[in-house]
Amino acid sequence: MADVPTGNDDREALDLLIRGFEVSRMLRLVADLGLADKLPRDGNTPVSALAADCSVLAAPLLRVLRALASFGVFQIGVDGSVSHSARSLLLRTDAQNSLHHGARFWTARGSWNAWGALDAALAGGNPHQTAWNSTRFQYLRDHPDEARIFDDFMANFPDRRHQTLAESFDFSRASLIADIGGGNGQALRQILARFPGPRGLVFDREDVVAAIAPQARSDGRIEVRGGSFFDRIPEGADIYLLVRVLHDWADEDCVRILRNCRLAMAPGTRLLIVEQILEPDPVRGRPLDYLVDIQMMAMFGSACERTVPEFRALLGQAGFALERVMQTASPVWILVAAAA
């Protein structure tokens, strides 16, 4: 038998990166079971009781949890008892900045299969289109269960984007705030909870706004309206929001969206673009930012994360001037633009 090199930290680290999809899939499995919520925050639970609560077999569940525990997710006693670790607590739905929704979203079938066709992007194609013969947003319309997972993930994205937006910008003088492509309305709920004066408008696809329950409309302060931001954007708001919208689209589509915003905006109105800013030097950037950039490539082909100069160029083409770039306590930044 050949000698096996020892002490090769880089080799083992790379091996774990290569096999990272296995860990992701196990995390999706336990998140789908809601297992972290079924496990008490303190104390141990026999794996047999946990399996019964999840309506699965104990032996395979123990094997999955043992594997995750080797990565610090859950703790397993030699007697088969299960308890939380600091990491598994983050899978609880009641955890601050919970990763439960991320564990379900990243390996959902739509995303999972598109990543399997990632090489299509290197030839100018769209991996999601290659995998599903469908655009990303059409796929979500055709798979409403997965679309709701997407909406929950966007509302609970662990970068605290919505809370940070509400904390970082003064919305007190606005009468109406329009969130364009606003998903399930979480950004506006955070803003309106902090500022009692304004009203809000969520503008998104018909199927998206139809899923916003009346009790999620901030006691009637949030109106919902369905439509496409490629056709027309509602007029009358003092502040327009584009929260993590532009990174879903290629440059030419971004310019179309921005021009429609410009047409809807009265003098003195401001546009707030909430996005991550891509650092061109990966030595200085965060790995998570570059993974999101490739996610955009996998889902949409030419969509991408952007640098400040790239945002400034898009805004200029659409008739805007970039007034301010505001760093926040979150990975997202706020770019404030006005009509040029």
Side-chain angles (χ1 to χ4, degrees):
M1 181 175 178
D3 290 337
V4 178
T6 58
N8 193 338
D9 293 341
D10 286 334
R11 185 190 186 285
E12 182 170 350
L14 181 58
D15 197 9
L16 288 173
L17 288 174
I18 291 169
R19 302 179 66 179
F21 74 95
E22 299 172 358
V23 181
S24 300
R25 188 60 187 88
M26 290 187 292
L27 289 167
R28 165 70 192 260
L29 188 154
V30 297
D32 282 345
L33 293 174
L35 190 144
D37 284 352
K38 293 178 170 66
L39 192 63
R41 285 182 170 273
D42 300 306
N44 301 324
T45 299
V47 71
S48 57
L50 196 57
D53 201 10
C54 294
S55 301
V56 298
L57 298 175
L61 180 61
L62 176 61
R63 294 170 66 182
V64 169
L65 292 175
R66 207 161 44 201
L68 288 174
S70 73
F71 289 90
V73 184
F74 301 105
Q75 298 181 89
I76 308 296
V78 294
D79 59 352
S81 61
V82 186
S83 59
H84 269 300
S85 66
R87 291 180 179 180
S88 65
L89 284 169
L90 294 171
L91 291 173
R92 291 181 59 91
T93 56
D94 59 0
Q96 186 175 14
N97 299 320
S98 170
L99 286 166
H100 166 86
H101 304 285
R104 299 193 71 208
F105 167 77
W106 290 115
T107 54
R109 291 179 70 239
S111 180
W112 185 268
N113 287 17
W115 274 83
L118 188 62
D119 52 317
L122 301 184
N126 181 328
H128 191 284
Q129 185 79 36
T130 300
W132 292 105
N133 194 30
S134 172
T135 66
R136 176 61 172 163
F137 292 118
Q138 184 59 52
Y139 174 90
L140 291 174
R141 282 191 287 271
D142 294 340
H143 298 81
D145 290 347
E146 198 165 323
R148 300 294 77 78
I149 291 174
F150 172 77
D151 290 340
D152 287 341
F153 175 59
M154 289 294 101
N156 294 276
F157 201 91
D159 62 7
R160 296 176 64 251
R161 67 181 68 165
H162 302 117
Q163 180 181 344
T164 299
L165 171 62
E167 293 171 350
S168 302
F169 192 86
D170 183 4
F171 292 93
S172 61
R173 288 177 289 182
S175 296
L176 178 63
I177 305 164
D179 192 358
I180 308 304
N184 70 3
Q186 179 65 7
L188 281 177
R189 283 193 291 274
Q190 291 278 348
I191 292 168
L192 299 188
R194 191 175 181 87
F195 296 94
R199 294 176 298 109
L201 168 65
V202 176
F203 181 73
D204 211 316
R205 301 190 319 269
E206 294 282 358
D207 61 301
V208 173
V209 297
I212 304 176
Q215 60 268 28
R217 300 182 186 183
S218 297
D219 297 324
R221 292 172 65 197
I222 294 178
E223 175 190 354
V224 303
R225 198 177 305 177
S228 169
F229 45 47
F230 287 119
D231 296 332
R232 183 176 177 273
I233 285 173
E235 299 177 353
D238 307 289
I239 295 175
Y240 286 82
L241 305 176
L242 287 172
V243 181
R244 300 293 275 156
V245 168
L246 297 183
H247 77 152
D248 287 343
W249 302 98
D251 287 356
E252 58 270 23
D253 293 320
C254 289
V255 172
R256 287 177 61 196
I257 296 167
L258 290 169
R259 283 176 176 162
N260 282 341
C261 288
R262 176 69 183 84
L263 288 172
M265 292 169 60
T269 305
R270 291 296 181 269
L271 172 66
L272 272 58
I273 298 171
V274 181
E275 294 275 1
Q276 290 178 191
I277 300 296
L278 193 66
E279 169 55 57
D281 181 1
V283 173
R284 299 173 56 191
R286 298 188 321 142
L288 287 173
D289 294 346
Y290 303 104
L291 287 178
V292 172
D293 184 46
I294 304 305
Q295 172 75 1
M296 295 303 100
M297 187 167 72
M299 296 299 102
F300 305 107
S302 298
C304 61
E305 302 299 306
R306 294 177 172 90
T307 64
V308 170
E310 288 169 337
F311 277 116
R312 183 178 284 109
L314 292 178
L315 287 164
Q317 291 179 60
F320 285 99
L322 180 59
E323 290 187 336
R324 281 189 290 164
V325 179
M326 302 171 60
Q327 188 172 11
T328 73
S330 154
V332 298
W333 296 59
I334 302 172
L335 296 91
V336 182

